[in-house]
Structures are given as C-alpha cells and as structure tokens.
Amino acid sequence: MRRMLVLIAALLSVGLVSHAAAAAGDPLAWPQVTNTAKPWAYWWWMGSAVNEADLSRELRRYAEAGMGGVHIIPIYGAKGYEKQYVQYLSPRWMALMRHAVEEARRLGMDVDMTLGTGWCFGGPQIPDRDANARMVVKTARVGAGERIKETFDRAATQALMAFSESGQAVDLTAKIGADGKVDWTAPAGKWVVHAISQRPSGQRVKRAGPGGTGWMLNPFYPQAIRDFLPPFTQAFAAYDGPRPRAVYHDSYEYQSNWSPDFFEQFQKRRGYRLQDHLPALLDEDKDSDRTGRVKSDYRQTISDLMVEAFMPAWVNWAHERGMIARDEAHGSPGNLLDLYAAADVPETEMFNKDRNPLVAKFASSAAHVTGKRLTSAETGTWMAEHFTETLAQMKRLVDEMFVSGVNHIFYHGTCYSPDEAAWPGWVFYASTEMNPRNAIWHDVGTLNAYIARCQSVLQSGEPDNDVLLYWPVHDLWHAQKGLVQTLTVHRTDWLMDQPAGRAAKALWEGGYGFDYASDRQLNRASVAEGRIHLGDGRYGVIVVPTCAHMPVETMAKLVELSNAGARVVFEGKVPADVPGLGDLDARRQKLRGMTDALHPGESIFIGDLSAGLAWAMGEHREMLPDPDLRVIRRRWEQGRQYFIVNSGERSIDCRMPLDGAGDAVLMMDPMTGRTGLAEVAQKAVHLRLVAGESVILRTLATRPGNAPVWDDQRFEGKPVELSGEWRVKFISGGPELPGEFVTRKLASWTELGDERAKAFAGTVVYSVSFDGPPGGRCMLDLGKVCESARVRVNGKEIGTLIMPPYRVELEGLRDKGNVLEVEVTSTSANRIRDLDRRGVKWHNFNDIGFVNMDYKPFDASKWPLRDSGLLGPVRLIAEK
C-alpha cells in the first residue's frame, strides 16, 4: 500500500493522473508553469566522475536558465580522470545520485535516470543465454536411404527438422545422440535438414560507463529482463534517499531475432509449431502466401513478447519503487503503438534532417489513446554540426515536436563538466551542446521560457483530435523478405510507403487532427453521444486505410462500434483477409461473414478517403486557411486551446476558423507571455504570423469584462535607418576579448582584421544614440543578427530576440537622445574552428570520442568563418 501511495503521488506530480483544467480557473491566465512544463535535458556523466560541489553548481546553472529537470546517463569517461571514475550502482554512485535528486528538488527541478549506463539495457549481469541473440541455421541435404553426416550439439540445438520435397516435416530433435549423431535414415525422396540454435549477436552496451559494460540483453526472452533487474533491486534496497522521478529505456537498438524459448513462446501464442514451417521462415517455401503468413506470425510473436513480458517487467519494477517509466520504442520490430503505450511517458525523437512528424505522432497517439498525460521527445540531436546550432533552429524543431503531440521536451543534451576542464569542457559526441559553456547558453532562458509557456498549455486539458486512424501493422508484417523489421524514426519507408502512411499524410496536410490506434488499443474503445472514446480522446470518426489483412477481433470491434453509433470510414474497400496462418479457414470464414454484412449507411462509409472525411466531419471541419499552418488542439473546461505555428518561410495573414469559438477567443503569445482578446467574426479570428512564429488561441465560453484587447498594431511607415556611431564592446566569451571600438558601418566582427575577433565566440554589446519618432512609438528592426539579441533602450530591458525577424516594439521614446543597446551573442563555431586550426587537443574522451554528423572524426579546422554580431541594417518603423 505504501508503494502504491508513493507511485500515485509521483503520477500526480507529473500530471499523469490529474486532469486539472488550464489556468487553475482563471481563463485569462497562463496555466501554472511546473518543472514538468519547463524543458529538461539529458545529462551525461562521463565516467560518473562527478562530485557533490560540481553537481550543485551545474544544477544551479540549469535552474537559473529555466530548466525543469535532468536525466542522468552514465557513459564512458574523459581521459586523464580515470582515478575519479565511479562504478555504477556502487554505494558512492548511489550517494551521488541522491545528492543530485535532493539538490534538484531544492532548486524546484527533478531527476530521471537511465536504467543502466549508455544504452540499451544490458551489463555485466547478462550471461550468454540472456544476451541479444541471433538465430543460427545449420543445413544438411540427404537422399533416400542416407543418414545425416553432420553432427549437432544436443544441448544447443533447439530444433532439428527434416523437410521433404512434398512438404512433409519430420522432427529429429529427439534423435540427436550424446555424440551429436542423428539416429535417422531418410525415407524416399530428397530431404533438407535444418538445425536451429542461437549465438550472442555480439552487441554490448553502447557507450557504457564504469560498471555497466556487458552484453545487451535479449528483449524477446522474458528471463533476460528478470535477470537484468536484481542489481537495481539490491542497490535501491540499500538506498534510503529520494527516488528519481522516472527510470528510462533508450531507443531500441538491439539486433536480436531469436531467443532460447522462441519455439515454445510461438506455439503458445499462435497455436501451431513454427518448427514445422521453417522453409517459410527461411525463404525456402515456394508458397509465397504461406511465407508471408508465417513471417507475420513470427513478427507478431516478437511484438507480443516485448509488449507482454519485456516492458511490464521493468515498468512494474519502477512502479513498485515509487517511480514512473519513460520509454523510446522506435527502432523496435514490434508494434510501436503498443510498446510506447506500455510506459508512463512515451518518448519519441527527431535525430537530424531525417525527421518525420507523422512518425513522432506514434508516441503521442499512444499517450492520447491510453490516457497518458505526457509525451516526451529527445530533442535537438544534431540539428546541425556541433557548435553551429542556434536557438532559432531549436525553436523551429521544438514547434515541430509540439504539433506532433509532444509536450515534454528533453534537450539532447548537456554534459557534466568540471570547471577545471579547458573550454569547451566535457562534451558528448551526439548532441546539441546545450550546456553553460556553449555561447548560445547566454540567451537560452528565453527559449526555455517559451517552451514552458507552450507546455503549460499542452499539458493541461485533454487531447482533442477528430480522427482515429487504424494502423494495419499486419500488412507490414506480411512482407516476405527478411525476418526482423526495425521501425526507426530515421528511415520511415515502413510507414510512408504503406497506405496507412499515405492516409496519415493526407490527414496531416488537410489539417485534420488525428491519432493512430493499434488493434489492442482499438479493442478498448467505446461510443458515447456519437463520439469514439479511447483514453483521453473523443473522436468523430475511425479511418481504416486501405489494407489487405485485419484480425477478426478488430473487425468485430469496428462492427460493434458502428452499431453503437460510431462513424467508420473504410478507405477504398473493406479488408478481405485475416493475417497469419493458424486456424486460417475458420478465421477467414468469420471475417467474411462480418464484411459481407457491412453496407454503407448512417455509420459506415466505404470509398474515397476525402469523401469519407467530408461525410464524417460535415460542418464541424476546421479548414486550415494556409498550407504552412500547423495546428494541434486540446480541450479545456471552457472550450478548446490551439497551438498554431507558421512552419513555412513566408509571412501568413489570414482568418483562422475555429469550430469551438464562442463569445470570445484569447490570443496568447508564448514567446513574450502577452495576451489579449481577439476580434471574432463568423467563428474566425485574424492571424498574422511571420515565418516560424507561433501563437496559442483559447476559446472562452463567455467574454470577460476585464480582459485587454489583443494589440495587433501594424507598423508600416517608412523605415528610418539608425546611422550614428556605434560603440562596440566585447563583454563575455573567448578565447580572448578583442578591444572596444567605434564604427558607423555594421558588419560581422570577423571582418575587423583582428585575429582575436576571428576566433571569438560570445557576447558583444552595440550601443548608439538616436532620436525618437513622433508619438514615441515604433517598431525596432535589427535586420540581420548572428544569432540572438537582448535589447535595452534608455537602460530598460525591452526583450530578447532569438529568431528572425529580429523586431521589437518600442514606446515612450524621447524626442532626442535615446540610447539603444543591443547585446548580441554568436554561436561557438568560430572558437571551435580556431582550436582545431591550432591543433589544440580538446576532445580527449574514451570510446567513440567525438565525431561529426557523419560519425567521422570531428575537425572544424576547414570550416569557413561564420558571420557574427549585429549586421543590420537597424531601422525604426513608425505606426501605420
């Protein structure tokens, strides 16, 4: 009971149980910003060579920058610090973790930890039998009257099967003698004999820290996860400190395709012996349909083993100790929707240029249809090359995550580093270096505050998508080539080359809010007042994309839902066949009986997807007025909340229809926190968004009398360039601070002719005097900025700008003698370039060391100089 109460308290603290409405009753206020609403970061402990004083210092810096938490991942160490390495899970390591958790919570933050070091699950406790395994096939051919010449290890051989040309199967496993010979003479005809065993794949824990090296475990073997957990059980049994909020499983990078008891597990779940169909599994069966069916059953068994055994084992272990579980399911060959849903916090990622929001939606869909409040994302891994990433790029990426349903951002990431380590300190090889030593950290607080405001809204209320999109995974599993199908976030042909992916793309581009659902998940749906209820979702229609195979149970559920009033759209035609091989004729007959009874009518549509959506949605369709707008919607106690972003490269000026618009709509600017009531006409509001800009709309049941009106003043007067003398002062950064100077021409500080300026990365203040416009109100346009800018006028902080267009409104200006100060911060690219040009050895780490985006040795020495500073032109634009 005590453990259950601890877990419930943990779930409440992160909003996984509470359905508290937005803004705590005040419709005009932003929801409370919790530490979960703030961005978190992966926190690599190199060699776990950490100490209490430096942990406190690092956490304090994170808290001051507006971060809400960290995720501890012990990895390989920095060279020269070997004497300071700490063994994972040792009493000293647990004491350091305790200090980190206590200190984080004192600062209003929290802590997660990887269940292991590096990734994936594994370590010294994993014996060969539990290790990530590959099937081994040994083949012999014999004719009539012949005996098998080869010998076999009786203990290691899981199956020995003989197959005739006519398809007859003979089990020879029990005929292997102690000497390895087989007591069998082949009958008439030609025979192929297959011996099945396994071997470790060779995969060891990647980037393991001290005390964490060893085999990766086998996720298809239930005993492996049971053998993995005891060291953690022992460590936490001797630990009386505060527990981390969550334990974590990183992206699926195992290479298993077999396990010691796979034949037994298969027969238990599929109802027939896989041994009898080895020719189909091994691509030797001339019947291609049977091959696809056997492989589908093989792949479903893999998925079942992970969903029913692997995931529950470690998730329940965490719950019993008052912690929750975060999981990255992608990369797995199983049903991603079921695997994501097995954790308390499903987590996706977008690695670099190969990012697809339709794949990211698998994690958020799993959360929505199972009532999970949070969807996290590993965010910012190699948006660009190391030290060239900007806050503007991160903001754009974060917005992509938001519209994919993510509401719990984890930067990837930050690395613990002692201050004594020479700049840039300890850094992780695969990361946006989101740490206090990187120059962009100077203004990261503005990005963090933006994320916190957005996530405070996106974590409140409930999801409000209209379409439930069935994912027909069995069509994918029926593929005849290969064995394991890894469903990654990087290569997405497994989705986009399928009808389901094309349907998802049509919904996305058409502006329909949707969630995917698996067979398991769909089976839990119900209907009330014509809406399909599943988890926190309330859907208007179920879409079944064109598919060939559907389980009988799923079709039966769709019929049940349609009979209860749910609208179901079958794209093209209804599925004509069942997946898999077992009990095939009986299952086909059941499916045919149901599909023959399906007829288009009040609740069933069969045909074109666009027509079906129009039939299902009718007048409640919210048409997006521009193809570059991306929207995600949530319900709250007074109506709906919309996060809207201009994802394109041009400005948008349009009217946005809102089906839920009542008497009033509150516009909320998450970058500045500004709010105001928008003018509503015919259930639409006027939107003006520059490229990359976002806004939140909140519909209100009644119009408040005390609310400010949204100020959407246009500044369209003739621009006036500031042409005075600029004083330029280098204030922070390195390796050296160039001298102060005065100029009338703004240009990159790399063009000064000063070698110190070419190597410099950091922050520079530009100041100039200017006269105000008539009325004292105008727009300040900084022109080109590399890369972020803090603006002060007459000593007053006006705002921090992290993305173009670098504009901010000024008011109350004096007629004469105003002083503008612009504090510009660059990336760290030129400073890293300088280190490599001078041959300074700064990335001195074990294991992979430090590499570029192509996993080649990192070398910035040939990079061109990057423009840095305020390039302008700086102009004042008066009111219209």
Side-chain angles (χ1 to χ4, degrees):
M1 178 61 71
R2 183 185 66 82
R3 286 176 175 171
M4 183 58 68
L5 290 173
V6 170
L7 175 61
I8 291 173
L11 295 174
L12 285 168
S13 71
V14 298
L16 292 173
V17 172
S18 171
H19 286 233
D26 182 355
L28 303 180
W30 290 91
Q32 180 184 0
V33 172
T34 63
N35 61 28
T36 307
K38 297 176 182 178
W40 291 38
Y42 287 62
W43 193 21
W44 293 286
W45 285 10
M46 300 194 84
S48 292
V50 304
N51 62 70
E52 286 84 353
D54 285 344
L55 287 173
S56 295
R57 168 186 49 76
E58 292 249 301
L59 288 167
R60 185 172 62 253
R61 290 171 176 169
Y62 300 150
E64 289 171 351
M67 283 173 46
V70 289
H71 165 189
I72 298 170
I73 313 175
I75 55 168
Y76 57 86
K79 294 179 181 178
Y81 287 83
E82 287 79 3
K83 292 183 179 180
Q84 299 178 36
Y85 290 178
V86 178
Q87 290 289 303
Y88 183 57
L89 296 184
S90 67
R92 174 60 181 158
W93 194 93
M94 297 298 288
L96 290 165
M97 183 200 71
R98 173 178 185 155
H99 180 82
V101 175
E102 290 177 338
E103 189 68 1
R105 289 179 181 165
R106 184 185 69 81
L107 294 166
M109 302 172 68
D110 215 328
V111 175
D112 291 355
M113 64 172 281
T114 291
L115 203 60
T117 75
W119 66 92
C120 304
F121 282 0
Q125 69 268 44
I126 300 299
D128 287 0
R129 184 174 174 82
D130 291 354
N132 204 251
R134 305 288 291 179
M135 179 173 63
V136 176
V137 183
K138 187 176 181 180
T139 301
R141 301 182 184 277
V142 294
E146 296 180 349
R147 297 177 67 86
I148 302 171
K149 298 177 182 178
E150 290 81 356
T151 60
F152 303 91
D153 184 334
R154 185 166 64 180
T157 302
Q158 299 172 12
L160 182 67
M161 298 293 301
F163 298 92
S164 70
E165 289 180 300
S166 63
Q168 180 184 359
V170 178
D171 192 339
L172 305 177
T173 312
K175 296 182 179 295
I176 303 174
D179 58 359
K181 295 181 179 179
V182 182
D183 184 15
W184 180 72
T185 301
K190 296 180 180 180
W191 294 78
V192 177
V193 179
H194 291 306
I196 304 297
S197 60
Q198 71 177 60
R199 60 172 175 79
S201 69
Q203 270 194 306
R204 304 180 74 81
V205 175
K206 291 186 178 182
R207 322 308 176 209
T213 58
W215 291 125
M216 282 190 195
L217 61 71
N218 189 336
F220 310 155
Y221 184 39
Q223 186 59 42
I225 188 64
R226 292 194 287 267
D227 291 341
F228 170 72
L229 292 170
F232 300 95
T233 301
Q234 182 178 357
F236 277 93
Y239 173 79
D240 62 356
R243 309 293 170 91
R245 179 196 70 153
V247 293
Y248 173 75
H249 176 255
D250 209 324
S251 56
Y252 184 103
E253 297 182 30
Y254 307 98
Q255 293 180 1
S256 280
N257 64 13
W258 204 250
S259 67
D261 63 347
F262 193 82
F263 284 125
E264 292 86 348
Q265 296 286 359
F266 184 95
Q267 185 172 359
K268 183 172 85 172
R269 287 170 166 79
R270 306 282 82 84
Y272 68 95
R273 283 167 42 99
L274 181 59
Q275 300 96 308
D276 297 336
H277 298 274
L278 288 178
L281 189 68
L282 302 176
D283 294 326
E284 296 177 355
D285 197 321
K286 295 179 181 178
D287 186 333
S288 59
D289 181 67
R290 183 164 56 223
T291 294
R293 293 184 179 280
V294 169
K295 289 193 174 184
S296 176
D297 283 339
Y298 162 84
R299 291 158 183 154
Q300 184 171 353
T301 301
I302 282 174
S303 183
D304 289 348
L305 285 167
M306 289 188 288
V307 172
E308 297 167 4
F310 173 69
M311 288 297 297
W314 70 272
V315 172
N316 291 338
W317 180 93
H319 290 177
E320 290 169 359
R321 287 154 185 82
M323 296 179 283
I324 60 173
R326 275 176 46 226
D327 178 56
E328 288 191 341
H330 44 270
S332 163
N335 189 314
L336 295 190
L337 293 171
D338 294 335
L339 289 168
Y340 277 127
D344 301 301
V345 183
E347 178 161 305
T348 186
E349 68 172 293
M350 288 193 183
F351 193 67
N352 49 36
K353 296 178 181 178
D354 302 323
R355 56 196 197 220
N356 187 330
L358 299 179
V359 173
K361 281 183 69 66
F362 272 68
S364 61
S365 295
H368 294 165
V369 303
T370 56
K372 308 282 191 332
R373 307 301 295 168
L374 299 176
T375 302
S376 56
E378 175 185 323
T379 307
T381 308
W382 273 333
M383 296 182 298
E385 196 52 86
H386 288 287
F387 303 104
T388 68
E389 302 100 334
T390 68
L391 298 178
Q393 289 173 319
M394 183 65 83
K395 193 267 184 190
R396 283 267 191 160
L397 175 58
V398 164
D399 288 342
E400 285 186 59
M401 308 306 286
F402 287 159
V403 295
S404 300
V406 168
N407 60 3
H408 192 18
I409 293 293
F410 276 76
Y411 293 137
H412 193 276
T414 186
C415 194
Y416 169 99
S417 181
D419 279 355
E420 68 188 48
W423 190 89
W426 296 356
V427 287
F428 184 56
Y429 79 94
S431 173
T432 293
E433 306 300 339
M434 193 62 79
N435 65 63
R437 298 166 296 282
N438 195 352
I440 64 173
W441 187 263
H442 184 74
D443 290 329
V444 76
T446 296
L447 176 63
N448 290 344
Y450 167 80
I451 292 172
R453 292 189 192 99
C454 291
Q455 293 191 156
S456 73
V457 172
L458 295 173
Q459 290 176 13
S460 64
E462 292 83 29
D464 193 32
N465 290 324
D466 284 313
V467 179
L468 194 62
L469 178 61
Y470 169 66
W471 185 38
V473 69
H474 293 91
D475 277 6
L476 186 67
W477 284 345
H478 263 251
Q480 295 171 21
K481 292 184 178 180
L483 283 178
V484 166
Q485 299 169 313
T486 53
L487 311 183
T488 71
V489 295
H490 314 311
R491 295 181 303 277
T492 60
D493 55 318
W494 58 267
L495 176 64
M496 302 314 298
D497 288 353
Q498 298 290 319
R502 291 190 283 272
K505 185 172 184 287
L507 291 170
W508 179 260
E509 292 179 349
Y512 290 93
F514 72 93
D515 285 317
Y516 302 102
S518 70
D519 295 279
R520 286 175 188 261
Q521 292 161 356
L522 193 59
N523 192 51
R524 295 195 294 271
S526 61
V527 180
E529 298 179 351
R531 306 289 289 184
I532 300 105
H533 289 226
L534 188 56
D536 284 337
R538 304 291 182 265
Y539 305 93
V541 60
I542 299 172
V543 169
V544 178
T546 302
C547 58
H549 306 91
M550 177 178 283
V552 169
E553 298 79 7
T554 301
M555 181 59 75
K557 186 65 180 183
L558 291 172
V559 171
E560 173 194 321
L561 294 171
S562 67
N563 289 339
R567 294 188 173 189
V568 182
V569 171
F570 290 92
E571 182 187 14
K573 57 185 179 180
V574 297
D577 208 346
V578 294
L581 184 63
D583 200 21
L584 181 58
D585 290 340
R587 290 187 297 119
R588 277 176 165 167
Q589 185 175 352
K590 288 181 181 178
L591 182 72
R592 191 174 301 115
M594 287 183 283
T595 57
D596 287 348
L598 285 177
H599 299 288
E602 185 177 340
S603 60
I604 297 290
F605 182 96
I606 304 172
D608 176 73
L609 178 59
S610 296
L613 290 169
W615 164 82
M617 301 296 294
E619 63 183 16
H620 297 293
R621 169 81 172 94
E622 290 180 332
M623 297 292 294
L624 292 183
D626 192 284
D628 285 333
L629 285 180
R630 291 286 177 259
V631 179
I632 192 163
R633 193 177 70 196
R634 294 184 71 83
R635 302 189 310 274
W636 78 298
E637 60 186 8
Q638 291 204 38
R640 288 169 167 170
Q641 300 184 105
Y642 302 74
F643 173 84
I644 305 172
V645 62
N646 177 358
S647 65
E649 301 301 328
R650 58 181 177 79
S651 293
I652 293 176
D653 189 329
C654 65
R655 294 197 63 80
M656 174 73 187
L658 304 175
D659 181 53
D663 291 340
V665 173
L666 186 71
M667 298 193 77
M668 312 170 78
D669 179 1
M671 187 60 74
T672 65
R674 184 170 65 99
T675 65
L677 290 180
E679 179 183 342
V680 181
Q682 297 180 331
K683 290 190 174 184
V685 298
H686 195 172
L687 282 185
R688 294 191 186 98
L689 297 174
V690 299
E693 189 178 8
S694 52
V695 68
I696 291 169
L697 305 183
R698 175 185 290 168
T699 65
L700 307 176
T702 58
R703 185 179 181 88
N706 59 338
V709 174
W710 181 257
D711 183 0
D712 200 12
Q713 176 64 50
R714 295 191 181 192
F715 294 87
E716 297 178 344
K718 183 178 181 180
V720 177
E721 185 172 349
L722 300 188
S723 57
E725 286 190 340
W726 290 89
R727 184 172 298 277
V728 184
K729 184 178 182 180
F730 294 76
I731 62 170
S732 65
E736 298 180 64
L737 296 181
E740 183 177 344
F741 67 95
V742 175
T743 183
R744 285 187 169 272
K745 180 183 178 182
L746 293 174
S748 172
W749 66 57
T750 59
E751 299 178 11
L752 292 175
D754 185 336
E755 290 301 314
R756 294 177 300 174
K758 291 180 180 180
F760 179 80
T763 302
V764 176
V765 173
Y766 296 75
S767 58
V768 69
S769 295
F770 69 99
D771 296 337
R777 188 180 186 204
C778 64
M779 180 69 72
L780 173 68
D781 184 344
L782 297 179
K784 185 175 181 180
V785 176
C786 303
E787 296 294 337
S788 61
R790 297 184 185 183
V791 178
R792 291 186 295 274
V793 175
N794 299 331
K796 179 183 177 181
E797 296 285 344
I798 304 300
T800 301
L801 309 174
I802 63 170
M803 62 182 296
Y806 294 89
R807 294 177 179 175
V808 65
E809 185 179 322
L810 305 180
E811 58 184 0
L813 296 175
R814 300 190 290 259
D815 292 341
K816 302 286 185 181
N818 297 284
V819 177
L820 170 66
E821 295 175 283
V822 184
E823 196 173 287
V824 178
T825 300
S826 69
T827 67
S828 291
N830 291 342
R831 188 172 180 183
I832 286 291
R833 172 184 180 272
D834 173 68
L835 287 180
D836 282 352
R837 283 168 61 87
R838 292 190 286 115
V840 176
K841 192 173 183 180
W842 57 271
H843 43 92
N844 195 24
F845 312 120
N846 291 309
D847 199 290
I848 197 172
F850 199 78
V851 295
N852 64 18
M853 289 182 71
D854 298 319
Y855 278 73
K856 302 292 175 54
F858 183 90
D859 181 9
S861 63
K862 294 182 173 58
W863 286 3
L865 281 171
R866 290 175 65 96
D867 285 345
S868 303
L870 179 60
L871 279 61
V874 178
R875 303 180 300 175
L876 298 180
I877 306 173
E879 291 182 86
K880 182 178 178 181

